[in-house]
Amino acid sequence: MQIRDLPYADPGIPDVRSGTRFLLWLGRNQRGGQVKALLWGLLLQLSIVGLSFAVGLAVQAVVDRDGGRLALVGGLLALLGSGIAVGDMMLHRVAVTNWITAAARVQQLLSRKTAELGSVLTRRVAAGEVVAVSTGDVEKIGWFVEALSRFAAAALTVVLVCVGLVVYQPALGVVVAVGVPVLTLAVLPLLPRATRRADIQREKAGRATELASDTVAGLRVLRGIGGEELFLGRYRVASQEVRRAAVRSARMWALIAAVQVLLPGLLLVGVLAYGARLALDGRIAVGELVTVYGAVALMLHPLRHFEEIAMAYSFSRPSAKRAARVLALARTTTTTDGHGEATGDLYDPVTGLLAPEGRFTAVVCGDPDAAGRLADRLGGHPTEPGEGHTSVLLGGVPLDELDLDTARTAVLVQDKDPVLLSGTLHELLDVPSSGAVRPEEALAAAHCGDVLDALAQASVDTDGDPMRTRITERGRSLSGGQRQRLALARSLVTDPEVLVLDEPTSAVDSHTEARVAAGVRELREGRTTVVLASSPLLLDRADRVALVHDDEVVAVGTHRDLLRTEPRYRAVVTRETDDEQALEEEALDDRIDDKLEAELEGESA
């Protein structure tokens, strides 16, 4: 895979059982790039270490006054220099490619999971964690995948050099072969502590990122209540904790780096002292001593990769663990055989809610969180899927058994906090749809006339055309009610088989709400529409209203009938308090008692 070939046609099915398994899965899926990096790394590392052998031959040639051999050594040095240049250049190129392609694979996997789960993703995972995974974490994961092949090349180079030195000069080679593993293993006792400190740093950084993300998202509200300084103070404290954790982690890694400088230095001094004694005794030639000394000195370069892979793993493992946790989230407990399509009544076995085909059904929940969970379930996205999960049925077919694209086309859920992407109004309404509803009709049904006027006035270079006016990120330049109605128009344009709306008019005034209710009812005539709301203006437009109490449908009827006969419904819709409801029920009981007494007195008379 080359960078120009991105994105992947299929990023694959990741192994998300743990962060380590996810990292290894990424490495296995880039075998071609890993092999290339390994070969180019071997060329670079062996060329570097080969310089010591060439220098040793040159010194011995000078000692022996052999000009021909010295000339050959000069050619060998030129060849090794070329190997270093080509190996370094190509290794860097392949390594960067591995880094970017690994990060791109993770981003594609995250994007696919986001598209699969929709708004349910941020209900199961904090928004700040998703941001952290899709930005900084993918870079650290890519770093480990890229460093893996370079580490393998360095490790193989060390083994080959140790074997070569034992064969070339056994007396000194044995010392090096015994000392190098000690150098490699000496830092192992320090790695667990360094890893723990790196994990703490990443955890604190993730919390700070989540706090910053939440603060930015709620900045308008914070300004309204004067809470900016409070949250800035909290973020300041969190950032200082990150700084202190980073300093503690850096100290540990600095200690590891110092050990990896100190111990090779001691080995180098020991080899040089022992080799000098052997040379003085005439047991080895001067050129052989220079060769062994140079090989040990230049082995510091591949040994550095042992420190890097430990650091890369320590920093990437928490990132991979977070990514695996997000990627492990499932849409539902799906079956293997999918149905192509489904139409008919929408039925939720959990609550007993039935939304007849082609009818306008309103649902009243006293608990807003329960309403959100019901809306997610109706869209095929239960917040806590698992064993015992019961899928919503559409025309008798479980949504779990529908292909994801088919399920999305059949049922569209608009949650209570819809997001408007930046772009023009035309781009906002240019969504996959049946083509039966034109954008103008959807805007009219959502009563967006004032929104269009505001966009027309805000346009500078579009000749007053509101459809070409750009909407800022998340629609921040619009009021809450305007954003809500534009999102409703976008949902209406898609014209799905079933449209589920969660509090679609909670941010608009009563006059506008009445018009929106009438417009939605008229435009969705003959299509299945489910509205979760408690506004009488919306409920009065519904063909049937269902009251959900304690995750169960306890009453079904028209709005007016339920107002008259169901106290729990009346308490939610009219916002009665518990005391008011108790007094009303007591008064109703008194009236019933009075009526019974009157009937008994009449019979006695």
Side-chain angles (χ1 to χ4, degrees), residues 407-537:
R408 289 280 172 81
T409 303
V411 182
L412 173 66
V413 178
Q414 176 182 304
D415 63 16
K416 64 181 64 178
D417 296 313
V419 176
L420 300 183
L421 302 179
S422 60
T424 65
L425 182 56
H426 173 75
E427 293 170 342
L428 175 70
L429 300 179
D430 185 17
V431 293
S433 65
S434 66
V437 178
R438 294 182 292 111
E440 295 79 9
E441 296 173 332
L443 291 168
H447 195 62
C448 295
D450 62 318
V451 185
L452 296 177
D453 293 339
L455 292 176
Q457 294 175 3
S459 63
V460 177
D461 53 356
T462 60
D463 298 327
D465 184 1
M467 299 299 292
R468 296 166 54 196
T469 302
R470 293 195 64 80
I471 299 173
T472 57
E473 179 190 3
R474 301 178 68 90
R476 299 187 189 279
S477 59
L478 303 172
S479 68
Q482 290 174 330
R483 290 196 301 270
Q484 200 170 53
R485 281 176 284 155
L486 284 181
L488 176 58
R490 178 179 59 187
S491 299
L492 293 173
V493 165
T494 61
D495 189 37
E497 183 72 26
V498 179
L499 177 61
V500 180
L501 304 172
D502 187 4
E503 294 288 356
T505 57
S506 59
V508 302
D509 58 80
S510 300
H511 177 71
T512 304
E513 186 177 31
R515 293 194 174 191
V516 171
V520 172
R521 170 61 190 264
E522 180 180 354
L523 189 65
R524 293 287 300 173
E525 188 69 33
R527 307 288 273 171
T528 307
T529 306
V530 180
V531 178
L532 289 88
S534 58
S535 168
L537 295 173

Side-chain angles (χ1 to χ4, degrees), residues 222-243:
L222 291 176
R223 286 174 176 171
I225 63 176
E228 302 105 310
E229 289 301 323
L230 174 63
F231 276 81
L232 283 175
R234 291 180 181 177
Y235 181 74
R236 190 177 295 112
V237 172
S239 64
Q240 288 301 313
E241 290 181 358
V242 174
R243 181 188 63 80

Side-chain angles (χ1 to χ4, degrees), residues 6-17:
L6 294 174
Y8 289 94
D10 180 12
I13 306 299
D15 186 346
V16 294
R17 289 175 290 177

Side-chain angles (χ1 to χ4, degrees), residues 16 19 125 129 133 210 318-330:
V16 294
V125 182
E129 183 169 355
V133 171
E210 291 177 20
S319 299
K321 185 177 179 181
R322 273 198 296 271
R325 184 164 59 245
V326 174
L327 295 175
L329 298 175

Side-chain angles (χ1 to χ4, degrees), residues 273-290:
Y274 181 56
R277 180 178 300 175
L278 293 178
L280 290 175
D281 293 342
R283 296 171 57 186
I284 64 172
V286 174
E288 292 175 336
L289 175 60
V290 171

Side-chain angles (χ1 to χ4, degrees), residues 27-365:
R28 289 197 306 270
N29 277 268
Q30 292 188 257
R31 281 189 291 267
Q34 296 287 350
V35 170
K36 290 180 182 178
L38 173 63
L39 295 178
W40 289 119
L42 281 174
L43 175 62
L44 172 64
Q45 303 286 359
L46 292 176
S47 296
I48 292 175
V49 177
L51 291 175
S52 62
F53 177 71
V55 171
L57 291 179
V59 171
Q60 192 61 43
V62 171
V63 171
D64 296 340
R65 300 180 180 278
D66 189 340
R69 192 166 31 150
L70 185 62
L72 291 176
V73 171
L76 178 60
L77 285 171
L79 183 62
L80 292 173
S82 300
I84 293 173
V86 174
D88 194 16
M89 177 182 65
M90 296 304 299
L91 176 61
H92 178 73
R93 178 172 179 168
V94 175
V96 171
T97 300
N98 288 342
W99 189 334
I100 293 176
T101 51
R105 186 186 295 273
V106 177
Q107 286 179 325
Q108 275 191 251
L109 291 169
L110 291 169
S111 299
R112 186 174 68 182
K113 183 59 64 175
T114 302
E116 177 186 336
L117 296 178
S119 63
V120 180
L121 176 62
T122 53
R123 295 178 188 266
R124 300 187 194 173
V125 182
E129 183 169 355
V130 177
V131 173
V133 171
S134 59
T135 52
D137 284 344
V138 296
E139 294 185 4
K140 291 178 174 58
I141 292 171
W143 176 28
F144 174 78
V145 173
E146 173 269 324
L148 194 59
S149 54
R150 290 191 292 111
F151 164 72
L156 189 56
T157 298
V158 169
V159 172
L160 292 175
V161 170
C162 289
V163 172
L165 288 178
V166 171
V167 174
Y168 176 71
Q169 178 45 251
L172 287 176
V174 171
V175 175
V176 175
V178 172
V180 168
V182 174
L183 298 181
T184 306
L185 300 176
V187 297
L188 288 182
L190 301 176
L191 289 179
R193 182 178 297 180
T195 302
R196 285 196 301 271
R197 292 189 179 185
D199 290 346
I200 293 173
Q201 177 195 351
R202 294 297 303 161
E203 182 181 351
K204 291 183 179 295
R207 282 203 292 264
T209 301
E210 291 177 20
L211 180 60
S213 177
D214 294 340
T215 302
V216 171
L219 190 58
R220 177 176 294 184
V221 177
L222 291 176
R223 286 174 176 171
I225 63 176
E228 302 105 310
E229 289 301 323
L230 174 63
F231 276 81
L232 283 175
R234 291 180 181 177
Y235 181 74
R236 190 177 295 112
V237 172
S239 64
Q240 288 301 313
E241 290 181 358
V242 174
R243 181 188 63 80
R244 286 191 290 269
V247 170
R248 284 173 53 83
S249 178
R251 286 173 179 169
M252 205 67 224
W253 288 110
L255 178 59
I256 292 175
V259 169
Q260 289 211 323
V261 171
L262 175 64
L263 294 184
L266 293 177
L267 176 63
L268 191 62
V269 171
V271 168
L272 183 59
Y274 181 56
R277 180 178 300 175
L278 293 178
L280 290 175
D281 293 342
R283 296 171 57 186
I284 64 172
V286 174
E288 292 175 336
L289 175 60
V290 171
T291 297
V292 175
Y293 170 79
V296 175
L298 293 177
M299 258 204 300
L300 292 177
H301 187 271
L303 285 175
R304 282 290 183 181
H305 291 281
F306 287 77
E307 175 191 352
E308 182 189 10
I309 195 64
M311 184 180 294
Y313 178 72
S314 298
F315 278 86
S316 64
R317 189 174 62 86
S319 299
K321 185 177 179 181
R322 273 198 296 271
R325 184 164 59 245
V326 174
L327 295 175
L329 298 175
R331 172 195 169 205
T332 51
T333 51
T334 56
T335 58
T336 55
D337 297 328
H339 292 266
E341 59 182 14
T343 59
D345 299 341
L346 184 68
Y347 176 68
D348 177 27
V350 176
T351 60
L353 174 66
L354 175 66
E357 182 181 10
R359 305 290 295 278
F360 192 131
T361 303
V363 182
V364 176
C365 292

